[in-house]
Amino acid sequence: MSAVGWIVEVLLVQFDLVAYPLREFPKASDLNITFKVVWTPVASGQYYIYRPRANKLTKCFYFAVWISLLTLIDGMLAAKTELVDYVHFHWSLMAIVYSIIFLSVRGLASWFFRDRKVFRKEANER
């Protein structure tokens, strides 16, 4: 998740869509490390670990709740603090960005863990 989120954030900053006036390492990076490179991967990990395995409606609702929550937090940070500045971007487009990130993370994790027998075999060898 960190790699996917980092690439997306670098593109948003490089194309002057989003700016981060207050940064942890202003001389090293234009990104807000805490929120976008630490907190978002933790949130997507929690999303993936606790995702429902029930019907498609439950999965869609769960996905929509996570995306809405992260978008709301991001929008409130932009509106109430100086941590995020949407230069040529609207906070509602962040829902699309989060959707792309979460769907790509789910796809990559599903691909990586596709052969469960390999992981069970390694666990039994210990």
Side-chain angles (χ1 to χ4, degrees):
M1 170 50 202
S2 290
V4 174
W6 183 79
I7 290 169
V8 169
E9 287 302 317
V10 165
L11 291 173
L12 289 175
V13 169
Q14 290 301 316
F15 288 114
D16 201 29
L17 300 172
V18 177
Y20 299 102
L22 299 175
R23 301 180 303 272
E24 290 86 354
F25 307 106
K27 293 183 180 179
S29 174
D30 290 336
L31 301 178
N32 184 322
I33 303 298
T34 302
F35 189 68
K36 298 297 183 177
V37 182
V38 176
W39 192 80
T40 305
V42 169
S44 70
Q46 295 295 316
Y47 163 79
Y48 185 78
I49 290 169
Y50 298 111
R51 73 190 188 287
R53 290 173 175 61
N55 61 18
K56 291 187 188 266
L57 183 63
T58 305
K59 289 179 184 179
C60 289
F61 179 73
Y62 183 76
F63 181 77
V65 167
W66 270 95
I67 298 302
S68 300
L69 180 67
L70 289 176
T71 304
L72 178 69
I73 291 169
D74 202 65
M76 293 196 51
L77 280 174
K80 305 290 184 189
T81 69
E82 294 179 8
L83 295 175
V84 182
D85 182 24
Y86 292 121
V87 181
H88 298 102
F89 201 68
H90 192 263
W91 66 268
S92 62
L93 293 176
M94 212 52 182
I96 296 169
V97 171
Y98 282 129
S99 297
I100 291 168
I101 291 172
F102 274 45
L103 290 173
S104 64
V105 166
R106 185 173 184 274
L108 287 169
S110 297
W111 169 79
F112 185 77
F113 293 114
R114 71 187 177 279
D115 192 5
R116 300 269 183 202
K117 290 183 276 186
V118 172
F119 293 102
R120 288 188 189 125
K121 180 180 174 186
E122 289 178 2
N124 291 335
E125 290 177 357
R126 292 184 185 179

